[in-house]
RNA sequence: GCCGAAGUGGCGAAAUUGGUAGACGCGCUGGACUCAAAAUCCAGUCUGGUUCACCCCAGGUGCCGGUUCGAGUCCGGCCUUCGGUACCA
């Protein structure tokens, strides 16, 4: 009989929902396990295979933990604000609120068909005032602590569309994706969160969490701590100094020019009148270049002199000041001292513009008069460096730093590559910023009692250069909370990463009215025990949420230092080599597979495809394999359900009393539990499913020859192994053998009988010079001498050692016997 | 460019501390069952050579080199593909 997946899945889904099987008792914190997937971004109308790949296997892991006795909390929600809904509105005229709500409804239906054990009472979405009110509250707290501030920052500006573009909307050649016009950078006053205040702790905290090493490494590099020295260069004919940051003060005597980033405010002041035209033309030419292009080491260096000169603080030398786009305004001071002899980029630049290249570090084994054909960036003996000549350059770093500090010409400094978090968006579909601008009082916070600042429904999307919110006068025009005079709301909205940086707290009680979240619950349920989501979030979402978590801790609202104790990245499911996304039009809709094979088969297939953290290119060949597995499993239960119902299983069997077939089955079921346990626990679903396939192969062959009590022993265990990876089938099989209720209602995990796993004979590979020549069977208890005798007596081995001298023998117990001959 | 990964049969992959490369599955080939088909079951399936066949021999984990008794695994140098690069999330 065909396994009636459709009926079975519907039946159990209703049973789960009616009996609230997955409602987590949050007041009970013993054995708590908070299992979280990155919430859903409902920009497409439907979930695609990539979503399933994230949610299905993670749910199987959570179910496995539930069977093992954990009190599991597995919530789901929607990260509902963001750019795509707004672009969709511009294109179609459908309001973002309407399209988003419709999408969420459709997605909810799909999620219910997946049959995951979500606690639906905790469902949340970010685009409703009851949620985003707390983004505004958070903003206010950050502001009060001096961690929210405004400054100028560039945006992508399309001069033709008169609008701000996201990086994604700028094509590779720097043109606007809508009209093809070259996009330029334009400065706007924007809000920032001061994440850099937490840079040091964001770095050191990484040592305390169990995250993939690669993710921690990416965050370390992103934060980019470097210790060095700030050095002041006087400017000829100016009061002001140029301050540069360098990690190599030992090369100061080799500085032959100074470079300013094009955006550095000093550029305007230092450019001599006769150089203005050239410099302005240069600044215009770099306006449209991306940072990636500018810092590319393969791109030819460009730059212009300002006509001004700086004075090298260590030798008083007069050196030219240039402007070049390979220096970024966002790192350090936006000014660098150029040492062409010992920095690759400076070498290239100096070579091109005929600036002097001076050797001040001598590479070991070279002479002072040898020409420098490329920058030497390693340690060596300092030369041409005044009184510092002769010392090793790594010692020279400290020596020069000390000297500069004593002379008041420099100061040791720790720099971070990490930049403050720009949260302003000149868009509609996001959280309004709770600030009012008053001509008299300046920027004034909205009072907490007046929150939320509700996002108005009626705005115009296609406007010229202004945030859409400015088109709603009723929203914009307010009275100043301080002076009562006429004032205006801030027209921008917040980056959606603000929403996602604290949602895991909110799940615990998403309808809480008076607080951001319930502290009592969060103290017992956070940090999140297992967080599963894409590696593409390594440096942004996963860093922002760590920052906000630490900030909330400092407010006394959270008791832990880190939000996510354990982290796993599922791989990306690509289609035709590209990440699935609606904009690329390459999404694979899972619904067709669900209606053809059922949710369990689809989930099993995703798990079986390959290593969870690798992902892969989508292909449905092979789904029939797991479909067959499900059918064969069902068949086994159909065949033996009656003998199981009438024959209760003992806790264990005496191995010696079993027949050969029984022994084989008994061993296999115990081996499978042991292997499966280890694999699922570590998110290795593919090999866990493979172990079940091996089990079903064994059972098809030998279960019939087993006594009913052993059949019973095997099948109740098998049903529990099926339940996490194929929950509907697991429930059904559990029922077929006479069990009551849901298998997930109680801890249901069986201990392994260690007796069943012991073997008395093992196979040892015999190698000659590392090449396999024979295999021999030996007792598991053996010594080298007894194995040696057998190894040397094998014909294939004799053939390869005859007439040669044995020089070495290596025995790795119960694995390899290697004979080395000459 | 920079940061982080990955590359193994016809295909998805396995091999957890360096120890028998290819578990499990797809596909394919042959067979059984059937009037026939589907479904199911059984057997075979890394490549080349030799052989009726079993065996046996040689080669083989992106490329080049190294360490080791032994390398898919460790080291150095490349190539290709993917993720991120601060306004997609």
């Amino acid at each position: 009989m065909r396994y009636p997946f459709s009926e079975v899945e519907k039946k159990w889904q209703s049973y789960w929902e009616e009996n609230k099987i997955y409602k987590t008792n949050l007041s009970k914190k013993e054995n708590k396990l908070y299992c979280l997937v990155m919430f859903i971004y409902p920009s497409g109308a439907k979930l695609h295979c990539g979503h399933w790949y994230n949610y299905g296997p993670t749910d199987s892991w959570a179910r496995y933990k539930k069977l093992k006795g954990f009190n599991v909390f597995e919530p789901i929600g929607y990260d509902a604000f963001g750019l795509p809904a707004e672009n969709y509105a511009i294109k179609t005229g459908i309001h973002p609120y309407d399209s988003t709500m419709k999408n969420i409804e459709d997605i909810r239906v799909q999620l219910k068909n997946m049959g995951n054990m979500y606690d639906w009472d905790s469902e949340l979405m970010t685009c409703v005032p009851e949620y985003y009110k707390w983004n505004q509250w958070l903003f206010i707290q950050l502001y009060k602590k001096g961690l929210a501030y405004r400054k100028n920052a560039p945006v992508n500006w399309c001069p033709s569309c008169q609008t701000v573009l996201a990086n994604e909307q700028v094509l590779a050649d720097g043109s606007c994706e809508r009209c093809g016009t070259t996009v330029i950078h334009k400065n706007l006053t924007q809000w920032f969160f001061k994440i850099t205040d937490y840079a040091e702790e964001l770095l050191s905290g990484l040592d305390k969490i169990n995250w993939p090493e690669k993710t921690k490494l990416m965050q370390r590099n992103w934060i980019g701590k470097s210790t060095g020295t700030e050095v002041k260069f006087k400017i000829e004919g100016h009061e002001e100094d140029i301050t540069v940051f360098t990690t190599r003060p030992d090369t100061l005597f080799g500085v032959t020019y100074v470079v300013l980033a094009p955006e550095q405010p000093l550029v305007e002041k230092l450019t001599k009148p006769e150089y203005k035209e050239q410099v302005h033309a240069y600044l215009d030419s770099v306006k449209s270049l991306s940072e990636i292009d500018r810092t590319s080491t393969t791109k030819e260096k460009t730059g212009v002199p300002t006509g001004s000169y700086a004075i090298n603080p260590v030798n008083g030398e007069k050196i030219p000041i240039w402007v070049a786009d390979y220096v970024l305004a966002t790192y350090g001071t936006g000014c660098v001292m150029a040492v062409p002899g010992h920095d690759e980029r400076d070498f290239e630049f100096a070579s091109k513009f005929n600036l002097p290249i001076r050797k001040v570090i001598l590479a070991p084994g070279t002479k002072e008069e040898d020409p420098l054909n490329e920058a030497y960036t390693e340690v060596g003996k300092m030369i041409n460096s005044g009184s510092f000549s002769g010392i090793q350059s790594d010692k020279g770093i400290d020596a020069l730093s000390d000297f500069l500090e004593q002379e008041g010409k420099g100061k040791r400094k720790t720099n971070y590559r990490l930049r403050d978090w720009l949260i302003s968006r000149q868009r509609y579909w996001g959280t309004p910023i709770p600030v009012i601008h008053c001509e008299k009082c300046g920027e004034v916070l909205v009072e907490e009692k007046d929150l939320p600042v509700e996002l108005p429904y009626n705005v115009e999307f296609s406007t010229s250069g202004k945030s859409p919110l400015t088109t709603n006068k009723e929203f914009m025009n307010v009275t100043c909370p301080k002076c009562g005079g006429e004032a205006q709301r801030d027209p921008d909205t917040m980056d959606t990463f603000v929403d996602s940086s604290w949602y895991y707290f909110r799940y615990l009680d998403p309808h809480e009215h008076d607080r951001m979240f319930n502290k009592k619950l969060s103290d017992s349920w956070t940090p999140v025990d297992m967080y599963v989501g894409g590696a593409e979030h390594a440096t942004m979402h996963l860093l922002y949420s760590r920052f906000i978590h630490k900030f909330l801790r400092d407010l006394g609202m959270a008791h832990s230092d880190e939000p996510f104790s354990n982290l796993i990245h599922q791989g990306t499911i690509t289609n035709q080599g590209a990440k699935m996304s609606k904009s690329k039009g390459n999404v694979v809709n899972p619904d067709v597979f669900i209606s053809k094979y059922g949710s369990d088969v689809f989930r099993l297939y995703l798990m079986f495809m390959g290593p969870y953290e690798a992902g892969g290119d989508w292909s449905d060949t092979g789904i029939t394999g797991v479909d067959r597995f499900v059918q064969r499993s069902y068949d086994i239960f159909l065949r033996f359900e009656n003998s199981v119902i009438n024959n209760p299983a003992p806790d264990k069997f005496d191995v010696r009393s079993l027949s050969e077939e029984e022994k084989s089955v008994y061993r296999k079921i115990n081996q499978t539990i042991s292997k499966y346990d280890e694999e699922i626990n570590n998110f290795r679903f593919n090999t866990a499913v493979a172990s079940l396939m091996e089990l079903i192969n064994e059972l098809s062959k030998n279960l019939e020859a087993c006594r009913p009590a052993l059949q019973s022993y095997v099948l109740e265990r098998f049903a529990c192994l099926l339940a996490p990876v194929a929950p509907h089938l697991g429930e059904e099989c559990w029922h077929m053998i006479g069990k009551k209720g849901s298998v997930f209602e109680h801890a249901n995990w069986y201990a392994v009988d260690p007796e069943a796993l012991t073997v008395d004979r093992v196979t040892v590979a015999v190698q000659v010079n590392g090449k396999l020549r024979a295999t021999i069977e030996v007792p598991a208890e053996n010594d080298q001498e007894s194995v040696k005798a057998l190894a040397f007596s094998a014909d294939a081995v004799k053939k390869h050692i005859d007439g040669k001298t044995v020089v070495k023998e290596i025995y790795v117990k119960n694995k390899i016997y290697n004979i080395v001959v000459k």
Side-chain angles (χ1 to χ4, degrees), chain A residues 138 142 145 147 194-209 211 219 223 418 421 501-502 504-505 516-517 526-527 542-564:
Chain A
L138 176 67
L142 284 158
K145 298 278 177 190
L147 295 172
K194 210 168 175 190
I195 190 173
T196 50
D197 264 20
Y198 283 81
E200 193 57 45
E201 203 202 329
L202 287 169
L203 188 62
S204 62
L206 290 170
D207 298 331
K208 292 186 278 190
I209 45 181
W211 284 19
Q219 288 211 349
I223 295 167
L418 181 68
W421 175 11
S501 60
W502 61 278
Y504 52 95
F505 285 115
M516 191 175 187
F517 52 85
T526 58
L542 286 169
L543 197 61
Y544 294 142
S545 44
R546 290 182 62 220
F547 160 51
I548 294 300
H549 189 95
K550 287 170 193 299
F551 173 69
L552 291 171
R553 176 204 60 194
D554 291 346
L555 286 184
M557 294 170 66
H559 73 308
S560 50
D561 294 328
E562 290 284 343
F564 315 118

Side-chain angles (χ1 to χ4, degrees), chain A residues 132-145 147-148 193 421 434 448 451 494 497-499 501-502 516-517 547-549 551-552 555 557:
Chain A
Y132 67 70
K133 171 183 178 179
W134 301 105
N135 286 338
Q136 295 169 342
W137 186 85
L138 176 67
F139 180 100
I140 290 170
Q141 309 315 310
L142 284 158
Y143 187 92
K144 286 179 175 168
K145 298 278 177 190
L147 295 172
F193 286 167
W421 175 11
E448 286 181 26
L451 296 183
M494 293 184 208
F497 278 128
V498 177
D499 315 7
S501 60
W502 61 278
M516 191 175 187
F517 52 85
F547 160 51
I548 294 300
H549 189 95
F551 173 69
L552 291 171
L555 286 184
M557 294 170 66

Side-chain angles (χ1 to χ4, degrees), chain A residues 62-81:
Chain A
R63 286 176 180 277
Y64 152 81
K65 287 293 183 186
K66 195 156 167 75
L67 285 189
K68 290 203 94 173
F70 286 92
N71 184 25
V72 177
F73 179 50
E74 192 189 6
I76 194 74
Y78 314 91
D79 186 12
F81 275 140

Side-chain angles (χ1 to χ4, degrees), chain A residues 5-6 9 13 47 49 52 109-110 112-115 589-603 606 623 728:
Chain A
F5 68 85
S6 184
E9 292 187 353
Q13 281 165 19
L47 298 183
C49 293
W52 267 82
V109 170
Q110 280 186 299
K112 298 228 166 168
N113 287 335
M114 276 174 92
N589 182 349
D591 292 359
V592 283
F593 299 101
I594 310 310
S595 49
K596 188 164 174 198
Y597 298 102
S599 157
D600 283 348
V601 166
F602 192 65
R603 158 200 305 242
L606 292 173
I623 197 165
H728 309 87

Side-chain angles (χ1 to χ4, degrees), chain A residues 532-697:
Chain A
V532 185
E536 68 272 22
H537 293 292
T539 50
M540 302 189 75
H541 161 59
L542 286 169
L543 197 61
Y544 294 142
S545 44
R546 290 182 62 220
F547 160 51
I548 294 300
H549 189 95
K550 287 170 193 299
F551 173 69
L552 291 171
R553 176 204 60 194
D554 291 346
L555 286 184
M557 294 170 66
H559 73 308
S560 50
D561 294 328
E562 290 284 343
F564 315 118
S565 312
N566 293 281
L567 173 71
I568 296 274
H569 297 302
Q570 87 279 10
T572 316
I573 300 296
T574 55
N575 191 21
Q576 285 132 32
K579 194 174 150 184
M580 282 185 205
S581 78
K582 204 184 171 193
S583 59
K584 287 180 190 136
N586 67 341
V587 294
V588 175
N589 182 349
D591 292 359
V592 283
F593 299 101
I594 310 310
S595 49
K596 188 164 174 198
Y597 298 102
S599 157
D600 283 348
V601 166
F602 192 65
R603 158 200 305 242
L604 272 170
Y605 178 60
L606 292 173
M607 285 191 272
F608 186 61
M609 265 173 60
Y612 189 54
E613 291 173 63
D617 205 49
W618 175 254
S619 153
D620 58 7
T621 64
I623 197 165
T624 51
V626 287
D627 187 41
R628 277 176 201 151
F629 165 75
V630 164
Q631 181 64 41
R632 290 175 76 198
S633 303
Y634 184 67
D635 287 343
I636 282 277
F637 279 90
L638 275 182
R639 268 172 75 194
F640 298 101
E641 59 183 334
N642 288 326
S643 54
V644 171
I645 287 169
N646 301 319
N647 294 278
D651 288 341
K652 61 185 287 188
F653 288 85
D654 179 356
V655 182
R656 283 157 304 181
S657 72
L658 300 175
S659 71
E660 279 310 306
E661 287 88 353
E662 288 176 326
K663 219 182 269 179
S664 172
V665 166
Y666 189 59
R667 171 167 300 155
K668 195 70 190 179
I669 183 71
N670 279 288
Q671 271 175 349
T672 306
I673 295 171
S674 162
K675 164 109 172 149
Y676 176 98
D677 191 0
E678 170 77 13
E679 302 292 57
I680 291 251
N681 193 41
N682 291 294
F683 280 77
R684 289 190 293 261
F685 302 108
N686 53 333
T687 45
V689 174
S691 76
L692 295 184
M693 288 175 170
E694 285 186 52
L695 176 66
I696 195 79
N697 288 344

